[in-house]
Amino acid sequence: MSFEVVSQSRSFGGTQFVYRHASRETGTPMRLAAFVPPQANAGKVPVVWFLSGLTCTEENFTVKAGAQRVASELGLILIAPDTSPRGEGVPDDAQGAYDFGLGAGFYVDATQEPWTRHYRMRSYLERELPALVAENLPADMSCQGITGHSMGGHGALTIALRNPGRFKAVSAFAPIASPMNCPWGEKALSNYIGPDRAAWRDYDACALIESGARLPDLLVDQGTVDNFLESQLKPQLLEAACVKAGQPLTLRMQEGYDHSYFFIATFIEDHLRWHAQRLGAA
């Protein structure tokens, strides 16, 4: 299956694409953004995935993070998928809440009706989309990194922890560290997965680490004036889980930064250089 080009623009010697394709997993059209650096003209290059947070699409990171300049320098493909299925017939929260339903797929495979048919972002990102990227882009799939923001930070951590060896570099911006222990996560997991909290553990980075999953290394940046720091994100739970398990973690509390893309844009270069070093691109 090939990607349909929605748009393409030259950027720092490379090309910023937006693609659309029909997804087998979600049963909907899906969009993704892909920055392809100039080094790809000579052969396959490493890939860094960015998973976005609540309410976002593939556009937020692509337009606001300012990542293309550094990715062009380092020779990295950047892939930014949408956060959830969309389209006619895809269920949404009855009250239109921002933290559940459309724009809040939480990177899970739902097991509860009416979410089961379309809300399959775990399988989409772990199986379907990587195969399509390998087929359609000059991507070296043996050199992958993954990062994300907030809900997408949760997604990046849990996908990497569930797929040992796939990602040589993992980082996150203000991730939801333990969805089992915050209102956003409890709402999403109880509705998508059901009341059995044991089934939630596959979608909680702290629980996965506690159960023995490991990463080669981990970088997390968190703003100290983030409105969601204490109630939703709880990086101290991730730090405690990593210390107990001997999991390497660099947790940087960034003084004065909030939850916005100004925070991401400030530190995206650090993260991309972290990934490039571990992917052999720096």
Side-chain angles (χ1 to χ4, degrees), residues 1 3 21-26 49 51 81 107-110 116-117 119-136 141 144 146 159-160 162-163 166-167 202-203:
M1 181 183 296
F3 290 148
H21 73 99
S23 169
R24 177 188 67 254
E25 290 291 349
T26 69
W49 299 78
L51 306 187
Y107 304 101
V108 307
D109 279 356
T116 54
R117 173 64 190 96
Y119 284 77
R120 295 186 52 80
M121 292 301 293
R122 173 182 179 174
S123 290
Y124 175 68
L125 286 169
E126 289 187 357
R127 296 199 299 265
E128 183 178 15
L129 190 55
L132 291 173
V133 166
E135 179 182 342
N136 289 279
M141 302 303 280
Q144 295 185 71
I146 191 168
I159 288 171
R162 288 194 304 262
N163 293 272
R166 178 177 296 186
F167 300 99
D202 269 358
Y203 299 107

